[in-house]
Amino acid sequence: MSGSHHFHSKPSNPQISSEVDPSLHAHKKGDAKHSHSKQVSNQNLLLIALILTLGFSGVEGAAAYFANSLALISDAGHMVTDAAALGLALLAQIISRRPPSPKHSFGFGRAEALAAFVNSIAMLGLVLWIVIEAVSRFANPHQVDGLTVTVVAAIGLLMNIVVAYVLSRDKKSVNTRAALVHVMGDLLGSVAALVAGVVIQLTGWMPIDAILSILVSLLILKSTISILHESYHFLMEGVPLHIDYLQVGKDLRGVPGVLAVHDLHVWEMTPSFPALIGHIEIADIKEWPAIMTNINAMLLDKHGIDHVTLQPEEFSEFHDHDHDHGVEDAPRQEQNRNVLHDGDTFFVQCSSGESSHRMAYHAWGNPNNSKVLLCVHGLTRRGSDFKTLAQAMCKDYYVVCPDVVGRGDSDRLSNPMQYAVPQYVADIAQLVKNLGVSQVDWFGTSMGGLIGMVYAAMPNSPIRRMLINDVGPKIEPEAIKRLGSYVGQPFAFANRADALTRLNQICASFGEHTPQEWEVYNGPMLVRHNGTWIIHYDPNISVPFASVNPIMAKAGEMAMWHAFKQIHIPMLIVRGGNSDLLSAATVAEMCKVNPYARSIEIPNVGHAPAFVKPEQIALAKEFFS
């Protein structure tokens, strides 16, 4: 990829050399100033802390045994765990300083985060043991030697202060901070043990030993969970916690010469060293060096990102190789400013076997815009579902929302068995042909996502990137049962308000919406026929749906998995957190079998997110931008 000039080459010799070719890892002039051999924490600090902690843990353990003090035992246990934690941290520091190799091109910096994660898990186990032991002592109090506890705890407190001071000198390493949490736990444990010893000496009240042990454990728990979350987030390649991903995208689009940003990823290769990769659309490739210089400066100054790899792409709307750019472009640009659709309805003639039918589609934006977004609805829905989304996207896209045949304003088929994905894909292909575009972006909800997956898997598919809204190759049986309870079932009301109320109940899983949002979203679903309010779609769409048996369902699932694996475009899988149709396990498998897919979950929503809420629309805009 170009941009920061990080080139990856495959050697012609199939034998892998045991030595690193320095040219592969070197950064050329113009790169972001980043060094993989970063300044790691001082190993001597960890070594000093390890010797002090390990040496005193034995003394305190012996004293705890003779004094019979839980507070002292917990403090000694802390110190033994700390010794292991410090040893693990020290080992991680040594590993992290190893240079990159042919098998580990980024080096071994993640060893620090891994050590922090393991240390935090160990600390959680220790906290749990102390709490359980303390609770048991309330029922069966133990006699504690207060004087021994006081003396040993006082010495331990001083030692822990020294160790904590030593480790606090390295505040940048998450690994060292995780070890410091252990030591601070020891310090608090020593304080608790000291207080417990004094109280027992003065009053003889033994429960104070267990009470203070629980209190210290709860105090330690907060810091432990914080380190655990941070190290887990890092190991899962999450966006660095101090970086606003959406703001980075906005700032990139604000750099002069940048027309669009996509495939943007931000993560940390090693702790405290964020990296960024992505694609940048520009008008003229000759301007790229200057644009890249401005991007590097902006990312470093505003976000602290100094390892940047970007691929420039010429935006086709602004770069046409077939003619000279000048007067010929002016009429089209003028037309782009004057022609706008706002939900206008059009029709495309499609074939279904030996007969033909019309498919309706609703459009928003400029029909001359080469960037087209196709929004395809679910099983019982229609193109109007996307009105709110289309209005938000139409400045950047010509948004086209078809009524899949048998729904909305489209014709109905005489043969209900043709209400199936193959017919729907053929109709969409005809629509794309009529639009006269070579590429489209795809937003598919439920059935619309299945249509998109099949279409995207076909040779020479025009789909450039695809958002799959709450559907996957595997449909959960519970969802099929729920759909069967209302698809094609009688629906007729004399009063529109009653019809809308019932439809809102059916669609309750789409999320919580205001009455106004329900009206915009579900209102167009209702049509008046012979004096009653009914659903817009042909009830016969349920015929092929109802005819599926378990064997057919399994065969269809296998076919969809095969199709999904053939898709080689960026995909965002959106799942409603409470969805009964798309399971979290299916989403995980989709991301596992196809490296082009990533996922996000919307909480408190079932099947399927309606994308009428501002935060959901912002999610779509960010993905398609």
Side-chain angles (χ1 to χ4, degrees), residues 258-278:
V258 174
L259 303 178
V261 180
H262 61 90
D263 291 333
L264 181 65
H265 302 279
V266 183
W267 79 104
E268 284 183 299
M269 297 183 300
T270 59
S272 302
F273 282 89
L276 177 148
I277 61 173

Side-chain angles (χ1 to χ4, degrees), residues 192-272:
L194 181 62
V195 172
V198 172
V199 171
I200 291 171
Q201 276 187 286
L202 297 178
T203 67
W205 191 51
M206 300 302 168
I208 187 66
D209 186 60
I211 292 172
L212 289 178
S213 296
I214 292 176
L215 178 61
V216 170
S217 296
L218 294 178
L219 291 174
I220 298 169
L221 187 62
K222 181 179 179 182
S223 298
T224 300
I225 290 176
S226 175
I227 294 293
L228 184 65
H229 173 264
E230 184 177 345
S231 57
Y232 171 80
H233 184 79
F234 174 80
L235 291 172
M236 294 303 293
E237 297 189 338
V239 176
L241 298 176
H242 66 283
I243 292 177
D244 186 337
Y245 173 82
L246 296 179
Q247 188 59 47
V248 171
K250 291 178 182 177
D251 291 342
L252 281 172
R253 289 193 293 272
V255 173
V258 174
L259 303 178
V261 180
H262 61 90
D263 291 333
L264 181 65
H265 302 279
V266 183
W267 79 104
E268 284 183 299
M269 297 183 300
T270 59
S272 302

Side-chain angles (χ1 to χ4, degrees), residues 41 51 63 107 116 134 164 196 198 216 218 231 257 343 428 432 437 485 488 497 566 583 620:
S41 306
I51 293 173
V198 172
V216 170
L218 294 178
S231 57
I428 294 294
V432 172
V437 292
S485 69
Q566 310 308 310
S583 69

Side-chain angles (χ1 to χ4, degrees), residues 119-129 182 221 224-225 228:
N119 282 341
S120 299
I121 293 293
M123 200 65 186
L124 289 178
L126 183 61
V127 167
L128 179 62
W129 176 83
H182 279 264
L221 187 62
T224 300
I225 290 176
L228 184 65

Side-chain angles (χ1 to χ4, degrees), residues 111-153:
E112 291 190 59
L114 183 60
F117 184 79
V118 173
N119 282 341
S120 299
I121 293 293
M123 200 65 186
L124 289 178
L126 183 61
V127 167
L128 179 62
W129 176 83
I130 293 172
V131 171
I132 293 174
E133 180 66 19
V135 171
S136 71
R137 289 203 174 195
F138 286 123
N140 184 23
H142 290 208
Q143 190 67 29
V144 177
D145 183 349
L147 178 60
T148 302
V149 172
T150 303
V151 174
V152 175

Side-chain angles (χ1 to χ4, degrees), residues 166-189:
V166 170
L167 292 179
S168 67
R169 296 175 63 185
D170 180 17
K171 297 179 180 179
K172 292 185 178 181
S173 170
V174 65
N175 180 38
T176 306
R177 284 190 288 119
L180 181 59
V181 167
H182 279 264
V183 175
M184 292 304 294
D186 265 340
L187 195 151
L188 291 173

